[in-house]
Amino acid sequence: MRLPVITYPDRKLKEVSKKIEEFDSKLHLFLDNMYETMMSSNGIGLAAIQVGKPIRALIVNLPINEDGEQSLENLIEVINPKIIHFEGSTFYQEGCLSVPGFYEDIERFENIELQYQDRYGKFHTMIANDLLSIALQHEIDHLDGKLFIEKLSYSRRKKFEKEYKKKQKEARLAS
Ligand code: Y12
Ligand code: CO
């Protein structure tokens, strides 16, 4: 089932998500619904809070080629993540399904080491580089109630707020 994606400035996105303790069929169905929602919205990453559930779950499915194709085999489900090491710095033009139509260069760690659980509660450790590292950091920020726009400079954020409000007004008038 496709779930509605919450968009900025909904205050729900500021909520800090709770640790997952039960790895049951209810969680599995929710993760499946997150996947359907992300794929049907042309996303490559989604956190549970973006569909209104404040639990520490996120999914990432990076493109496998330059045409942007995605494969279920590459889907990564991450529960209760903890970044245990990080190094380097990199910039990438990020976008977010909860901030539609806005992309901006954001600084992140280049490489991270992540401890997390899978949908069955099994613990894993992963080293993530490049785009995967960026996507995971973006999604983990959602679990802590943070959006990538909060990393913008004061002047860029002001400009964003003005442009975003204008776009929202135009969309309301067109609907
Ligand atoms: C690098 C940087 C950030 C991430 C987080 C995951 N972000 C996304 O999946 C964003 C997807 C996105 C898709 C949109 O829809 C279409 O393009 C059709 C979109 O909509 C508009 O711009 C209107 C915005 C964002 C992962 C890796
Ligand atoms: Co996002």
Side-chain angles (χ1 to χ4, degrees):
M1 183 176 61
R2 184 178 177 168
L3 307 166
V5 176
I6 293 174
T7 56
Y8 180 79
D10 193 317
R11 292 192 62 79
K12 182 101 186 161
L13 290 166
K14 294 194 80 64
E15 219 174 296
V16 177
S17 295
K18 295 219 161 50
K19 187 177 174 192
I20 294 176
E21 308 276 4
E22 296 209 12
F23 297 84
D24 53 11
S25 58
K26 216 174 108 194
L27 174 68
H28 297 174
L29 177 63
F30 177 68
L31 289 168
D32 294 345
N33 289 338
M34 278 180 69
Y35 175 73
E36 195 179 325
T37 305
M38 180 182 72
M39 295 307 282
S40 57
S41 316
N42 287 316
I44 57 172
L46 189 72
I49 192 65
Q50 292 179 271
V51 289
K53 217 169 165 73
I55 59 170
R56 297 188 84 77
L58 65 91
I59 58 172
V60 170
N61 194 6
L62 297 185
I64 52 168
N65 57 31
E66 287 185 358
D67 295 334
E69 277 178 69
Q70 288 159 286
S71 155
L72 181 56
E73 283 169 33
N74 274 25
L75 173 68
I76 304 173
E77 293 178 340
V78 174
I79 316 278
N80 300 331
K82 273 195 195 109
I83 297 176
I84 51 177
H85 289 294
F86 53 83
E87 62 174 27
S89 150
T90 186
F91 283 85
Y92 190 82
Q93 195 172 54
E94 296 190 15
C96 177
L97 288 173
S98 294
V99 191
F102 183 74
Y103 301 85
E104 188 60 79
D105 276 348
I106 300 293
E107 187 176 13
R108 300 278 182 192
F109 302 122
E110 194 172 10
N111 309 306
I112 58 170
E113 188 172 352
L114 193 72
Q115 191 184 79
Y116 68 99
Q117 286 166 280
D118 64 21
R119 61 162 62 200
Y120 304 103
K122 187 174 176 218
F123 282 90
H124 298 265
T125 303
M126 174 205 305
I127 290 177
N129 311 305
D130 307 317
L131 188 56
L132 180 58
S133 168
I134 293 163
L136 288 166
Q137 289 172 70
H138 176 112
E139 300 308 334
I140 291 169
D141 270 356
H142 275 299
L143 306 187
D144 294 324
K146 294 183 206 141
L147 293 175
F148 75 109
I149 51 170
E150 289 166 46
K151 293 171 92 63
L152 298 174
S153 67
Y154 179 79
S155 60
R156 192 63 196 91
R157 177 67 184 265
K158 276 265 191 208
K159 195 161 172 262
F160 158 75
E161 292 293 346
K162 206 172 156 191
E163 286 170 6
Y164 192 77
K165 273 191 195 121
K166 192 167 167 237
K167 269 193 200 158
Q168 278 191 316
K169 197 174 167 188
E170 283 164 3
R172 265 199 309 274
L173 290 172
S175 68

Short mmCIF file of all heavy atoms in Angstrom, two decimals, residues 30-92:
data_model
loop_
_atom_site.label_atom_id
_atom_site.label_comp_id
_atom_site.label_asym_id
_atom_site.label_seq_id
_atom_site.Cartn_x
_atom_site.Cartn_y
_atom_site.Cartn_z
N PHE A 30 4.87 -2.83 7.30
CA PHE A 30 5.14 -1.39 7.23
C PHE A 30 6.35 -1.11 6.33
O PHE A 30 6.33 -0.18 5.50
CB PHE A 30 5.35 -0.82 8.64
CG PHE A 30 5.70 0.64 8.63
CD1 PHE A 30 4.75 1.58 8.24
CD2 PHE A 30 6.97 1.07 8.96
CE1 PHE A 30 5.07 2.95 8.19
CE2 PHE A 30 7.29 2.43 8.93
CZ PHE A 30 6.34 3.35 8.55
N LEU A 31 7.41 -1.92 6.46
CA LEU A 31 8.61 -1.73 5.62
C LEU A 31 8.27 -1.96 4.14
O LEU A 31 8.74 -1.23 3.27
CB LEU A 31 9.73 -2.68 6.06
CG LEU A 31 10.39 -2.37 7.40
CD1 LEU A 31 11.26 -3.54 7.86
CD2 LEU A 31 11.23 -1.09 7.33
N ASP A 32 7.42 -2.95 3.88
CA ASP A 32 6.98 -3.20 2.49
C ASP A 32 6.21 -1.99 1.96
O ASP A 32 6.39 -1.59 0.80
CB ASP A 32 6.09 -4.45 2.42
CG ASP A 32 6.86 -5.74 2.76
OD1 ASP A 32 8.12 -5.70 2.77
OD2 ASP A 32 6.21 -6.76 3.03
N ASN A 33 5.37 -1.41 2.81
CA ASN A 33 4.61 -0.22 2.38
C ASN A 33 5.52 0.99 2.17
O ASN A 33 5.30 1.80 1.26
CB ASN A 33 3.53 0.11 3.41
CG ASN A 33 2.39 -0.89 3.41
OD1 ASN A 33 2.19 -1.59 2.41
ND2 ASN A 33 1.66 -0.98 4.49
N MET A 34 6.57 1.09 2.99
CA MET A 34 7.55 2.18 2.79
C MET A 34 8.22 2.02 1.42
O MET A 34 8.42 3.00 0.69
CB MET A 34 8.63 2.15 3.88
CG MET A 34 8.22 2.82 5.18
SD MET A 34 9.55 2.75 6.40
CE MET A 34 10.77 3.85 5.70
N TYR A 35 8.57 0.78 1.10
CA TYR A 35 9.23 0.52 -0.19
C TYR A 35 8.32 0.92 -1.36
O TYR A 35 8.75 1.61 -2.29
CB TYR A 35 9.62 -0.97 -0.29
CG TYR A 35 10.20 -1.34 -1.63
CD1 TYR A 35 11.49 -0.92 -1.97
CD2 TYR A 35 9.47 -2.07 -2.56
CE1 TYR A 35 12.03 -1.24 -3.21
CE2 TYR A 35 10.00 -2.40 -3.80
CZ TYR A 35 11.27 -1.98 -4.12
OH TYR A 35 11.81 -2.28 -5.35
N GLU A 36 7.06 0.49 -1.28
CA GLU A 36 6.10 0.82 -2.35
C GLU A 36 5.95 2.35 -2.48
O GLU A 36 5.91 2.89 -3.58
CB GLU A 36 4.74 0.17 -2.03
CG GLU A 36 3.82 0.16 -3.23
CD GLU A 36 2.48 -0.51 -2.92
OE1 GLU A 36 2.44 -1.48 -2.14
OE2 GLU A 36 1.47 -0.03 -3.48
N THR A 37 5.90 3.02 -1.32
CA THR A 37 5.75 4.48 -1.30
C THR A 37 6.96 5.16 -1.94
O THR A 37 6.82 6.05 -2.79
CB THR A 37 5.59 4.97 0.16
OG1 THR A 37 4.50 4.27 0.75
CG2 THR A 37 5.35 6.47 0.22
N MET A 38 8.16 4.71 -1.55
CA MET A 38 9.39 5.31 -2.09
C MET A 38 9.49 5.09 -3.60
O MET A 38 9.77 6.03 -4.35
CB MET A 38 10.62 4.69 -1.39
CG MET A 38 11.94 5.24 -1.90
SD MET A 38 13.34 4.43 -1.10
CE MET A 38 13.28 2.82 -1.86
N MET A 39 9.23 3.88 -4.05
CA MET A 39 9.36 3.57 -5.48
C MET A 39 8.33 4.34 -6.31
O MET A 39 8.66 4.88 -7.36
CB MET A 39 9.19 2.06 -5.73
CG MET A 39 10.28 1.23 -5.11
SD MET A 39 11.94 1.75 -5.56
CE MET A 39 12.05 1.06 -7.19
N SER A 40 7.10 4.41 -5.81
CA SER A 40 6.07 5.09 -6.60
C SER A 40 6.21 6.61 -6.54
O SER A 40 5.56 7.33 -7.30
CB SER A 40 4.66 4.64 -6.16
OG SER A 40 4.52 4.90 -4.79
N SER A 41 7.09 7.11 -5.64
CA SER A 41 7.32 8.56 -5.57
C SER A 41 8.64 8.95 -6.22
O SER A 41 9.08 10.10 -6.10
CB SER A 41 7.35 9.03 -4.11
OG SER A 41 6.34 8.46 -3.35
N ASN A 42 9.30 7.98 -6.86
CA ASN A 42 10.62 8.22 -7.49
C ASN A 42 11.69 8.59 -6.47
O ASN A 42 12.56 9.41 -6.78
CB ASN A 42 10.54 9.32 -8.56
CG ASN A 42 9.85 8.85 -9.80
OD1 ASN A 42 10.09 7.74 -10.27
ND2 ASN A 42 8.95 9.66 -10.31
N GLY A 43 11.62 7.99 -5.30
CA GLY A 43 12.62 8.28 -4.27
C GLY A 43 13.72 7.23 -4.25
O GLY A 43 13.56 6.12 -4.78
N ILE A 44 14.84 7.58 -3.61
CA ILE A 44 15.92 6.60 -3.43
C ILE A 44 16.19 6.36 -1.94
O ILE A 44 17.02 5.53 -1.58
CB ILE A 44 17.22 7.01 -4.16
CG1 ILE A 44 17.73 8.38 -3.71
CG2 ILE A 44 17.01 6.98 -5.66
CD1 ILE A 44 19.10 8.72 -4.28
N GLY A 45 15.45 7.10 -1.10
CA GLY A 45 15.58 6.90 0.33
C GLY A 45 14.33 7.41 1.03
O GLY A 45 13.69 8.35 0.55
N LEU A 46 13.97 6.76 2.14
CA LEU A 46 12.78 7.17 2.88
C LEU A 46 12.93 6.76 4.34
O LEU A 46 13.37 5.64 4.63
CB LEU A 46 11.54 6.50 2.27
CG LEU A 46 10.17 6.97 2.78
CD1 LEU A 46 9.83 8.37 2.25
CD2 LEU A 46 9.06 6.00 2.34
N ALA A 47 12.55 7.65 5.25
CA ALA A 47 12.54 7.32 6.68
C ALA A 47 11.09 7.19 7.13
O ALA A 47 10.19 7.84 6.57
CB ALA A 47 13.24 8.43 7.47
N ALA A 48 10.87 6.35 8.16
CA ALA A 48 9.50 6.05 8.61
C ALA A 48 8.72 7.32 8.98
O ALA A 48 7.52 7.43 8.70
CB ALA A 48 9.55 5.10 9.80
N ILE A 49 9.39 8.29 9.57
CA ILE A 49 8.69 9.52 10.00
C ILE A 49 8.10 10.27 8.80
O ILE A 49 7.12 11.00 8.95
CB ILE A 49 9.64 10.44 10.83
CG1 ILE A 49 8.88 11.56 11.53
CG2 ILE A 49 10.77 11.01 9.98
CD1 ILE A 49 7.90 11.12 12.57
N GLN A 50 8.68 10.08 7.62
CA GLN A 50 8.15 10.78 6.42
C GLN A 50 6.77 10.26 6.03
O GLN A 50 6.06 10.92 5.27
CB GLN A 50 9.12 10.63 5.24
CG GLN A 50 10.44 11.36 5.43
CD GLN A 50 11.37 11.16 4.25
OE1 GLN A 50 12.13 10.23 4.20
NE2 GLN A 50 11.26 12.05 3.28
N VAL A 51 6.42 9.07 6.52
CA VAL A 51 5.06 8.58 6.31
C VAL A 51 4.31 8.54 7.64
O VAL A 51 3.37 7.78 7.83
CB VAL A 51 5.05 7.21 5.58
CG1 VAL A 51 5.46 7.38 4.12
CG2 VAL A 51 5.94 6.19 6.26
N GLY A 52 4.79 9.35 8.59
CA GLY A 52 4.03 9.59 9.82
C GLY A 52 4.29 8.68 10.97
O GLY A 52 3.61 8.79 12.01
N LYS A 53 5.23 7.73 10.84
CA LYS A 53 5.47 6.78 11.93
C LYS A 53 6.82 7.08 12.60
O LYS A 53 7.88 6.91 11.96
CB LYS A 53 5.45 5.35 11.38
CG LYS A 53 4.83 4.37 12.32
CD LYS A 53 4.61 3.04 11.62
CE LYS A 53 4.32 1.93 12.57
NZ LYS A 53 3.02 1.97 13.18
N PRO A 54 6.80 7.52 13.88
CA PRO A 54 8.06 7.93 14.52
C PRO A 54 8.86 6.75 15.08
O PRO A 54 9.06 6.63 16.28
CB PRO A 54 7.59 8.89 15.62
CG PRO A 54 6.22 8.42 15.96
CD PRO A 54 5.63 7.77 14.73
N ILE A 55 9.29 5.86 14.18
CA ILE A 55 10.12 4.71 14.61
C ILE A 55 11.42 4.74 13.81
O ILE A 55 11.46 5.25 12.69
CB ILE A 55 9.39 3.36 14.39
CG1 ILE A 55 9.01 3.15 12.92
CG2 ILE A 55 8.16 3.27 15.30
CD1 ILE A 55 8.51 1.73 12.62
N ARG A 56 12.50 4.15 14.42
CA ARG A 56 13.84 4.31 13.81
C ARG A 56 14.06 3.28 12.71
O ARG A 56 14.81 2.31 12.86
CB ARG A 56 14.92 4.26 14.91
CG ARG A 56 14.76 5.41 15.90
CD ARG A 56 15.90 5.52 16.87
NE ARG A 56 17.04 6.26 16.35
CZ ARG A 56 17.12 7.59 16.26
NH1 ARG A 56 16.11 8.35 16.62
NH2 ARG A 56 18.20 8.15 15.78
N ALA A 57 13.38 3.51 11.60
CA ALA A 57 13.51 2.65 10.42
C ALA A 57 13.68 3.53 9.19
O ALA A 57 13.04 4.58 9.07
CB ALA A 57 12.26 1.79 10.25
N LEU A 58 14.56 3.09 8.29
CA LEU A 58 14.75 3.80 7.03
C LEU A 58 15.08 2.78 5.95
O LEU A 58 15.54 1.67 6.23
CB LEU A 58 15.88 4.84 7.16
CG LEU A 58 17.29 4.33 7.43
CD1 LEU A 58 18.07 4.08 6.13
CD2 LEU A 58 18.04 5.33 8.29
N ILE A 59 14.82 3.20 4.70
CA ILE A 59 15.20 2.35 3.57
C ILE A 59 15.95 3.20 2.55
O ILE A 59 15.72 4.41 2.43
CB ILE A 59 13.96 1.67 2.91
CG1 ILE A 59 12.93 2.70 2.43
CG2 ILE A 59 13.31 0.69 3.86
CD1 ILE A 59 11.79 2.07 1.61
N VAL A 60 16.86 2.54 1.84
CA VAL A 60 17.63 3.20 0.77
C VAL A 60 17.71 2.23 -0.41
O VAL A 60 17.96 1.04 -0.22
CB VAL A 60 19.06 3.57 1.26
CG1 VAL A 60 19.92 4.04 0.09
CG2 VAL A 60 19.02 4.65 2.33
N ASN A 61 17.47 2.74 -1.60
CA ASN A 61 17.63 1.93 -2.81
C ASN A 61 18.25 2.79 -3.90
O ASN A 61 17.54 3.49 -4.63
CB ASN A 61 16.26 1.37 -3.24
CG ASN A 61 16.37 0.26 -4.27
OD1 ASN A 61 17.46 -0.20 -4.60
ND2 ASN A 61 15.23 -0.18 -4.77
N LEU A 62 19.57 2.74 -3.98
CA LEU A 62 20.30 3.61 -4.91
C LEU A 62 20.15 3.11 -6.34
O LEU A 62 19.99 1.90 -6.57
CB LEU A 62 21.78 3.65 -4.55
CG LEU A 62 22.13 4.23 -3.18
CD1 LEU A 62 23.64 4.30 -3.02
CD2 LEU A 62 21.53 5.61 -2.98
N PRO A 63 20.22 4.03 -7.32
CA PRO A 63 20.16 3.60 -8.72
C PRO A 63 21.33 2.67 -9.06
O PRO A 63 22.42 2.82 -8.51
CB PRO A 63 20.29 4.92 -9.50
CG PRO A 63 20.04 6.00 -8.53
CD PRO A 63 20.35 5.47 -7.17
N ILE A 64 21.07 1.73 -10.00
CA ILE A 64 22.12 0.77 -10.39
C ILE A 64 22.82 1.20 -11.67
O ILE A 64 23.82 0.60 -12.05
CB ILE A 64 21.55 -0.67 -10.54
CG1 ILE A 64 20.33 -0.69 -11.48
CG2 ILE A 64 21.21 -1.26 -9.19
CD1 ILE A 64 19.91 -2.10 -11.89
N ASN A 65 22.26 2.21 -12.37
CA ASN A 65 22.92 2.68 -13.59
C ASN A 65 22.62 4.17 -13.81
O ASN A 65 21.90 4.79 -13.01
CB ASN A 65 22.49 1.84 -14.80
CG ASN A 65 20.98 1.86 -15.01
OD1 ASN A 65 20.31 2.84 -14.68
ND2 ASN A 65 20.43 0.78 -15.51
N GLU A 66 23.16 4.71 -14.90
CA GLU A 66 23.02 6.15 -15.14
C GLU A 66 21.61 6.55 -15.55
O GLU A 66 21.26 7.73 -15.54
CB GLU A 66 24.05 6.60 -16.17
CG GLU A 66 25.43 6.63 -15.55
CD GLU A 66 26.51 7.18 -16.46
OE1 GLU A 66 26.20 7.52 -17.62
OE2 GLU A 66 27.64 7.25 -15.99
N ASP A 67 20.79 5.56 -15.93
CA ASP A 67 19.38 5.86 -16.26
C ASP A 67 18.52 5.97 -15.01
O ASP A 67 17.32 6.21 -15.08
CB ASP A 67 18.80 4.76 -17.17
CG ASP A 67 19.49 4.74 -18.52
OD1 ASP A 67 20.01 5.79 -18.93
OD2 ASP A 67 19.53 3.66 -19.15
N GLY A 68 19.13 5.73 -13.85
CA GLY A 68 18.41 5.87 -12.58
C GLY A 68 17.58 4.64 -12.23
O GLY A 68 16.74 4.70 -11.33
N GLU A 69 17.81 3.52 -12.94
CA GLU A 69 17.04 2.30 -12.63
C GLU A 69 17.40 1.79 -11.24
O GLU A 69 18.56 1.89 -10.81
CB GLU A 69 17.37 1.20 -13.64
CG GLU A 69 16.59 1.32 -14.93
CD GLU A 69 17.01 0.22 -15.89
OE1 GLU A 69 16.70 -0.95 -15.60
OE2 GLU A 69 17.67 0.55 -16.89
N GLN A 70 16.40 1.22 -10.56
CA GLN A 70 16.61 0.67 -9.22
C GLN A 70 16.28 -0.82 -9.23
O GLN A 70 15.51 -1.29 -10.09
CB GLN A 70 15.71 1.38 -8.20
CG GLN A 70 16.17 2.80 -7.90
CD GLN A 70 15.08 3.66 -7.33
OE1 GLN A 70 14.17 4.07 -8.05
NE2 GLN A 70 15.15 3.94 -6.04
N SER A 71 16.89 -1.56 -8.31
CA SER A 71 16.66 -2.99 -8.25
C SER A 71 16.35 -3.38 -6.81
O SER A 71 17.05 -2.94 -5.87
CB SER A 71 17.92 -3.70 -8.75
OG SER A 71 17.97 -5.00 -8.22
N LEU A 72 15.35 -4.23 -6.66
CA LEU A 72 14.95 -4.68 -5.31
C LEU A 72 16.13 -5.35 -4.58
O LEU A 72 16.26 -5.26 -3.36
CB LEU A 72 13.75 -5.63 -5.43
CG LEU A 72 13.16 -6.20 -4.13
CD1 LEU A 72 12.75 -5.09 -3.16
CD2 LEU A 72 11.97 -7.10 -4.42
N GLU A 73 16.99 -6.00 -5.38
CA GLU A 73 18.17 -6.68 -4.79
C GLU A 73 19.07 -5.72 -4.03
O GLU A 73 19.80 -6.13 -3.13
CB GLU A 73 19.00 -7.34 -5.89
CG GLU A 73 18.42 -8.62 -6.40
CD GLU A 73 19.12 -9.11 -7.64
OE1 GLU A 73 20.34 -8.89 -7.77
OE2 GLU A 73 18.42 -9.68 -8.50
N ASN A 74 19.02 -4.44 -4.44
CA ASN A 74 19.89 -3.43 -3.81
C ASN A 74 19.24 -2.69 -2.65
O ASN A 74 19.83 -1.77 -2.10
CB ASN A 74 20.29 -2.38 -4.85
CG ASN A 74 21.51 -2.80 -5.62
OD1 ASN A 74 21.78 -4.00 -5.73
ND2 ASN A 74 22.23 -1.86 -6.15
N LEU A 75 18.02 -3.09 -2.33
CA LEU A 75 17.30 -2.41 -1.24
C LEU A 75 18.01 -2.67 0.09
O LEU A 75 18.36 -3.80 0.41
CB LEU A 75 15.85 -2.91 -1.16
CG LEU A 75 15.05 -2.40 0.03
CD1 LEU A 75 14.78 -0.89 -0.10
CD2 LEU A 75 13.72 -3.16 0.15
N ILE A 76 18.23 -1.58 0.84
CA ILE A 76 18.81 -1.72 2.18
C ILE A 76 17.78 -1.24 3.20
O ILE A 76 17.29 -0.11 3.10
CB ILE A 76 20.11 -0.89 2.31
CG1 ILE A 76 21.12 -1.30 1.23
CG2 ILE A 76 20.74 -1.09 3.69
CD1 ILE A 76 22.35 -0.41 1.19
N GLU A 77 17.44 -2.12 4.12
CA GLU A 77 16.53 -1.76 5.22
C GLU A 77 17.37 -1.60 6.48
O GLU A 77 18.14 -2.51 6.83
CB GLU A 77 15.50 -2.87 5.43
CG GLU A 77 14.53 -3.01 4.25
CD GLU A 77 13.53 -4.15 4.45
OE1 GLU A 77 13.79 -5.07 5.27
OE2 GLU A 77 12.49 -4.12 3.78
N VAL A 78 17.23 -0.48 7.12
CA VAL A 78 18.09 -0.15 8.26
C VAL A 78 17.21 0.20 9.47
O VAL A 78 16.40 1.13 9.42
CB VAL A 78 19.00 1.05 7.90
CG1 VAL A 78 19.80 1.50 9.12
CG2 VAL A 78 19.95 0.68 6.77
N ILE A 79 17.39 -0.56 10.54
CA ILE A 79 16.62 -0.34 11.77
C ILE A 79 17.59 0.04 12.89
O ILE A 79 18.66 -0.57 13.01
CB ILE A 79 15.88 -1.64 12.19
CG1 ILE A 79 15.22 -2.34 11.00
CG2 ILE A 79 14.90 -1.39 13.33
CD1 ILE A 79 13.92 -1.85 10.55
N ASN A 80 17.22 0.99 13.71
CA ASN A 80 18.01 1.43 14.87
C ASN A 80 19.49 1.69 14.52
O ASN A 80 20.39 1.14 15.17
CB ASN A 80 17.94 0.37 15.99
CG ASN A 80 16.52 0.12 16.48
OD1 ASN A 80 15.68 1.02 16.44
ND2 ASN A 80 16.24 -1.08 16.96
N PRO A 81 19.74 2.52 13.50
CA PRO A 81 21.14 2.73 13.10
C PRO A 81 21.94 3.56 14.09
O PRO A 81 21.39 4.45 14.76
CB PRO A 81 20.99 3.50 11.77
CG PRO A 81 19.70 4.23 11.90
CD PRO A 81 18.80 3.33 12.70
N LYS A 82 23.25 3.27 14.14
CA LYS A 82 24.20 4.08 14.93
C LYS A 82 25.45 4.25 14.10
O LYS A 82 26.04 3.25 13.66
CB LYS A 82 24.59 3.34 16.22
CG LYS A 82 23.66 3.58 17.35
CD LYS A 82 24.30 3.13 18.68
CE LYS A 82 23.22 3.04 19.74
NZ LYS A 82 22.89 1.71 20.15
N ILE A 83 25.84 5.49 13.85
CA ILE A 83 27.10 5.73 13.14
C ILE A 83 28.22 5.57 14.17
O ILE A 83 28.28 6.31 15.15
CB ILE A 83 27.11 7.14 12.50
CG1 ILE A 83 26.00 7.23 11.43
CG2 ILE A 83 28.48 7.45 11.89
CD1 ILE A 83 25.85 8.59 10.78
N ILE A 84 29.09 4.58 13.94
CA ILE A 84 30.13 4.30 14.94
C ILE A 84 31.49 4.90 14.55
O ILE A 84 32.35 5.06 15.41
CB ILE A 84 30.23 2.80 15.28
CG1 ILE A 84 30.35 1.93 14.03
CG2 ILE A 84 29.02 2.35 16.09
CD1 ILE A 84 30.52 0.43 14.34
N HIS A 85 31.68 5.17 13.25
CA HIS A 85 32.89 5.89 12.80
C HIS A 85 32.53 6.74 11.61
O HIS A 85 31.65 6.37 10.84
CB HIS A 85 33.99 4.91 12.36
CG HIS A 85 34.62 4.17 13.49
ND1 HIS A 85 35.37 4.80 14.46
CD2 HIS A 85 34.59 2.84 13.81
CE1 HIS A 85 35.78 3.89 15.31
NE2 HIS A 85 35.31 2.71 14.97
N PHE A 86 33.23 7.86 11.46
CA PHE A 86 33.03 8.68 10.26
C PHE A 86 34.33 9.37 9.93
O PHE A 86 35.19 9.58 10.81
CB PHE A 86 31.91 9.71 10.49
CG PHE A 86 32.08 10.54 11.73
CD1 PHE A 86 32.90 11.67 11.73
CD2 PHE A 86 31.46 10.18 12.91
CE1 PHE A 86 33.06 12.43 12.87
CE2 PHE A 86 31.62 10.93 14.07
CZ PHE A 86 32.42 12.05 14.05
N GLU A 87 34.50 9.69 8.64
CA GLU A 87 35.72 10.41 8.23
C GLU A 87 35.48 11.14 6.92
O GLU A 87 34.58 10.78 6.14
CB GLU A 87 36.89 9.43 8.06
CG GLU A 87 36.64 8.40 6.98
CD GLU A 87 37.84 7.51 6.69
OE1 GLU A 87 38.66 7.31 7.59
OE2 GLU A 87 37.92 7.03 5.55
N GLY A 88 36.25 12.18 6.70
CA GLY A 88 36.22 12.91 5.43
C GLY A 88 35.00 13.80 5.30
O GLY A 88 34.12 13.83 6.17
N SER A 89 35.00 14.51 4.21
CA SER A 89 33.89 15.44 3.96
C SER A 89 33.61 15.48 2.46
O SER A 89 34.54 15.38 1.65
CB SER A 89 34.32 16.81 4.49
OG SER A 89 33.74 17.84 3.76
N THR A 90 32.34 15.59 2.11
CA THR A 90 31.96 15.60 0.71
C THR A 90 30.69 16.43 0.54
O THR A 90 29.92 16.59 1.50
CB THR A 90 31.75 14.15 0.20
OG1 THR A 90 31.51 14.17 -1.19
CG2 THR A 90 30.60 13.46 0.89
N PHE A 91 30.49 16.96 -0.66
CA PHE A 91 29.27 17.73 -0.95
C PHE A 91 28.46 17.00 -2.00
O PHE A 91 29.03 16.42 -2.94
CB PHE A 91 29.63 19.12 -1.50
CG PHE A 91 30.07 20.08 -0.43
CD1 PHE A 91 31.39 20.11 -0.02
CD2 PHE A 91 29.16 20.95 0.15
CE1 PHE A 91 31.81 20.99 0.97
CE2 PHE A 91 29.57 21.83 1.16
CZ PHE A 91 30.90 21.86 1.55
N TYR A 92 27.13 17.04 -1.85
CA TYR A 92 26.26 16.42 -2.85
C TYR A 92 24.96 17.22 -2.91
O TYR A 92 24.47 17.72 -1.89
CB TYR A 92 25.97 14.96 -2.46
CG TYR A 92 25.26 14.19 -3.54
CD1 TYR A 92 25.99 13.65 -4.60
CD2 TYR A 92 23.87 14.04 -3.53
CE1 TYR A 92 25.35 12.95 -5.61
CE2 TYR A 92 23.23 13.34 -4.53
CZ TYR A 92 23.96 12.79 -5.57
OH TYR A 92 23.32 12.12 -6.56
#
